[in-house]
Amino acid sequence: MAPQLAWIGLGNMGRGMCKNLVEKGNLDKPLILFNRTAKRADDLSQKLASGKTKVASTIADAVSTADIIFTCVGDDAAINETIDSALKGDVQGKLFVDCSTVHPSTTDGLSERITAKGAGFVAGPVFGAPAMAESGQLVCVLAGPQELVDKVKPYTKGVIGRANIEFGGLPCRKATTLKVIGNTMVLQMVEAVAEGHVIAETTGLGSERFHEFIEAMFPGPFVGYSTRMITGDYYKREEPLFAVDLARKDAGHALDMAKASGARMRGVEVVDEHLVTLKEHKGEKGDVAGIYGSVRLEAGLKFAN
């Protein structure tokens, strides 16, 4: 008999991951859903097949009958608050899987508090944009005791993701260390594409020609971000795909990790400066692709193309 699953956190990533759990996870019980904003849980439940989900009114309700609890929330404060609430009840024998992007030290703290209560913990952050979460094409990173990682794997590759990177038998912080470092590559990719488009415009080459080069040479995420820049999506969209505050959180974690280990990430420092400018112009609705607008301003161009 399959374990009872619960999912806490229904942001841009969580909604798609839940969809694939319901459709491809071979669940024999409804997936329990909880979100701080209850309407998101209700809307998702109504969108998915009838009888495949049920909405919990509190974190305690979500956790009490679940065997495996997935969490996917925005930042370190949110996951600490979520887990502290969950641990108020009896969690003996349960397994918590955190898919959030947080500092490795936060992961250490979660592991310590959860295991002290007699439950298990696996860090399970994912790589990929919301569209990849929707299509089940995420890259899942798993770290923790091997026997617990094995319990999570039936719901990762082939369900919510296309591949696993495993750190079975190693400290949970390995997964979030890789996740933070990996996210700096995304941030610096956006920076590189933005700078390329701006210099293409200021030299008279033209953004269209530069985009044509990206399509031919760097298919995939590079093309996606380039398209969002030349079409103006970077400043027009109402709901960010990768919000500026979350991007700054990731950059901050990376810079802190670098400093603590005696290294430096100069590229990430530049990205963070442009994220500050982005926040000033777009507020909390700013999307990471808006780095393009910040780079445009530095070149004497308007934020909007």
Side-chain angles (χ1 to χ4, degrees), residues 63-116:
V63 172
S64 63
T65 58
D67 302 304
I68 302 178
I69 302 99
F70 288 86
T71 52
C72 186
V73 297
D75 57 27
D76 301 61
I79 190 58
N80 278 323
E81 180 181 343
T82 298
I83 294 301
D84 286 346
S85 294
L87 295 182
K88 290 178 181 178
D90 181 9
V91 296
Q92 185 78 30
K94 298 181 186 293
L95 173 58
F96 289 84
V97 184
D98 184 38
C99 303
S100 313
T101 301
V102 295
H103 196 288
S105 63
T106 297
T107 301
D108 287 340
L110 297 176
S111 181
E112 291 171 5
R113 300 203 303 280
I114 289 169
T115 55

Side-chain angles (χ1 to χ4, degrees), residues 74-303:
D75 57 27
D76 301 61
I79 190 58
N80 278 323
E81 180 181 343
T82 298
I83 294 301
D84 286 346
S85 294
L87 295 182
K88 290 178 181 178
D90 181 9
V91 296
Q92 185 78 30
K94 298 181 186 293
L95 173 58
F96 289 84
V97 184
D98 184 38
C99 303
S100 313
T101 301
V102 295
H103 196 288
S105 63
T106 297
T107 301
D108 287 340
L110 297 176
S111 181
E112 291 171 5
R113 300 203 303 280
I114 289 169
T115 55
K117 288 286 189 175
F121 179 65
V122 167
V126 297
F127 287 105
M132 295 172 70
E134 184 74 16
S135 61
Q137 294 298 303
L138 299 171
V139 174
C140 307
V141 187
L142 302 171
Q146 185 64 60
E147 66 274 15
L148 299 183
V149 168
D150 288 342
K151 289 184 178 181
V152 180
K153 286 166 63 177
Y155 309 107
T156 55
K157 184 179 179 180
V159 182
I160 66 172
R162 60 180 172 84
N164 289 340
I165 298 175
E166 298 182 36
F167 293 97
L170 296 174
C172 295
R173 69 170 12 244
K174 296 287 187 182
T176 43
T177 299
L178 177 60
K179 173 58 176 169
V180 171
I181 295 172
N183 271 20
T184 68
M185 296 187 68
V186 176
L187 296 175
Q188 291 177 94
M189 172 187 66
V190 177
E191 178 74 27
V193 174
E195 292 181 7
H197 271 296
V198 169
I199 195 74
E201 181 173 346
T202 58
T203 59
L205 174 68
S207 276
E208 295 79 9
R209 290 297 190 186
F210 183 63
H211 181 70
E212 184 180 348
F213 157 73
I214 292 176
E215 287 182 311
M217 193 71 183
F218 301 109
F222 281 86
V223 174
Y225 276 107
S226 180
T227 299
R228 295 185 61 205
M229 291 175 192
I230 64 175
T231 60
D233 177 83
Y234 72 95
Y235 71 89
K236 293 177 181 177
R237 70 167 38 251
E238 286 298 316
E239 183 178 2
L241 296 177
F242 187 175
V244 60
D245 287 341
L246 298 183
R248 286 212 72 204
K249 177 258 298 179
D250 293 352
H253 287 344
L255 293 173
D256 180 74
M257 288 163 51
K259 183 178 180 180
S261 63
R264 188 171 179 183
M265 303 186 82
R266 293 180 183 270
V268 179
E269 292 172 9
V270 172
V271 170
D272 194 49
E273 292 174 7
H274 288 149
L275 290 171
V276 170
T277 302
L278 170 60
K279 180 66 179 286
E280 292 171 352
H281 277 76
K282 295 295 292 179
E284 63 183 17
K285 290 188 175 182
D287 182 278
V288 69
I291 286 173
Y292 178 44
S294 300
V295 179
R296 287 176 59 84
L297 289 174
E298 283 187 341
L301 303 172
K302 291 182 180 179
F303 185 90

